[in-house]
């Protein structure tokens, strides 16, 4: 009932260990106490090696062609349409340019993480699933989110290495790069599964 009435969620956080690299567990529940999401946060110093210019992953990609980016497997509208350009797609992954929170105009919060770019990376791998698995998919789990640097001011390069796990599932590791080619965030172990309730979209041109 997102459009009709407000929803209330409860976010809880507890400390598992203290000191260098403190560990926190975080949980999101609905108003009835049902657990929706659970994660663990590692409060570690920033890894300088991760913010060095990233080597080119050189995935083997084909031209995207003339297929629409939004409108079938991607339902996003207005400010949530953060994919600016697709550079290619293939069995090994997908490559594109995204708008981060600054460029997308997400000014209603003082963001400490680039949630627009992170969402855009998930949007990209759904397009990969459309192309390689032949249908609409959902991201069902993320093994790791790693944050390495400050939010970029300009466009974000997003490169995802993807692979099919049978005909219904896929996995992806997504790297987010600033204008200097430095990784400022990564999503690792993204799990994708095709939706059984959505017919396969038309193939890209």
């Amino acid at each position: 009932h997102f459009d009709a009435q407000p929803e209330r969620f409860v976010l809880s956080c507890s400390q598992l260990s203290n000191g260098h690299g403190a560990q926190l567990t975080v949980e999101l529940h609905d108003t009835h106490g049902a657990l929706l999401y659970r994660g663990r946060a590692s409060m570690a110093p920033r890894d300088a090696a991760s913010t060095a210019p990233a080597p080119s992953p050189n995935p083997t990609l084909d031209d995207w062609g003339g297929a629409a980016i939004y409108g079938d497997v991607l339902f996003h509208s207005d400010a949530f349409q953060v994919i600016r350009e697709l550079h290619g797609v293939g069995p090994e992954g997908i490559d594109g340019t995204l708008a981060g929170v600054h460029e997308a105009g997400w000014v209603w919060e003082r963001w400490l993480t680039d949630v627009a770019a992170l969402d855009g990376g998930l949007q990209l791998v759904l397009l990969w699933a459309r192309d390689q698995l032949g249908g609409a998919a959902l991201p069902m789990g993320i093994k790791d989110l790693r944050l390495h640097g400050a939010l970029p001011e300009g466009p974000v390069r997003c490169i995802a290495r993807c692979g099919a796990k049978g005909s219904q599932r896929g996995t992806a590791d997504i790297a987010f790069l600033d204008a200097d080619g430095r990784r400022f965030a990564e999503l690792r172990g993204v799990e994708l599964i095709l939706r059984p309730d959505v017919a396969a979209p038309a193939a890209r041109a």
Side-chain angles (χ1 to χ4, degrees):
H1 310 294
F2 180 79
D3 293 327
Q5 63 189 38
E7 299 283 353
R8 184 173 183 270
F9 301 96
V10 179
L11 178 67
S12 61
C13 179
S14 59
Q15 185 169 288
L16 298 176
S17 64
N18 201 354
H20 180 80
Q23 298 287 319
L24 309 174
T25 182
V26 291
E27 296 182 344
L28 185 69
H29 295 80
D30 66 15
T31 53
H32 304 292
L35 178 64
L36 304 176
Y37 296 96
R38 175 187 288 130
R40 178 175 292 189
S42 177
M43 309 302 289
R46 185 175 299 166
D47 183 2
S50 295
T51 58
S56 174
N58 293 322
T60 302
L61 303 178
D62 301 320
D63 184 70
W64 173 252
I69 295 176
Y70 293 97
D72 50 19
V73 300
L74 296 184
F75 53 83
H76 309 72
S77 61
D78 302 326
F80 290 91
Q81 293 187 356
V82 296
I83 300 175
R84 295 294 184 255
E85 187 177 358
L86 279 170
H87 306 303
V89 65
E92 297 180 1
I94 191 167
D95 183 348
T97 298
L98 312 173
V101 286
H102 296 302
E103 189 172 331
W106 290 24
V107 297
W108 55 86
E109 293 283 353
R110 180 179 176 270
W111 302 104
L112 299 179
T113 57
D114 200 327
V115 291
L118 294 176
D119 192 74
L122 294 175
Q123 293 178 32
L124 276 182
V125 297
L126 296 187
L127 292 177
W128 173 86
R130 175 196 194 276
D131 189 75
Q132 295 297 313
L133 301 179
L138 288 175
M140 299 302 292
I142 299 170
K143 183 179 180 180
D144 287 308
L145 162 62
R146 301 192 178 194
L147 304 173
H148 304 300
L151 277 65
E153 293 289 338
V156 174
R157 177 85 180 276
C158 182
I159 304 172
R161 285 192 169 276
C162 308
K165 301 294 183 181
S167 61
Q168 303 292 314
R169 296 174 180 269
T171 61
D173 293 326
I174 311 171
F176 301 86
L177 314 177
D178 64 18
D180 296 321
R182 298 178 184 274
R183 292 189 302 274
F184 67 90
E186 295 175 87
L187 289 171
R188 297 185 179 183
V190 178
E191 300 177 6
L192 305 169
I193 186 169
L194 288 184
R195 294 175 55 185
D197 59 323
V198 177
R204 61 187 172 95

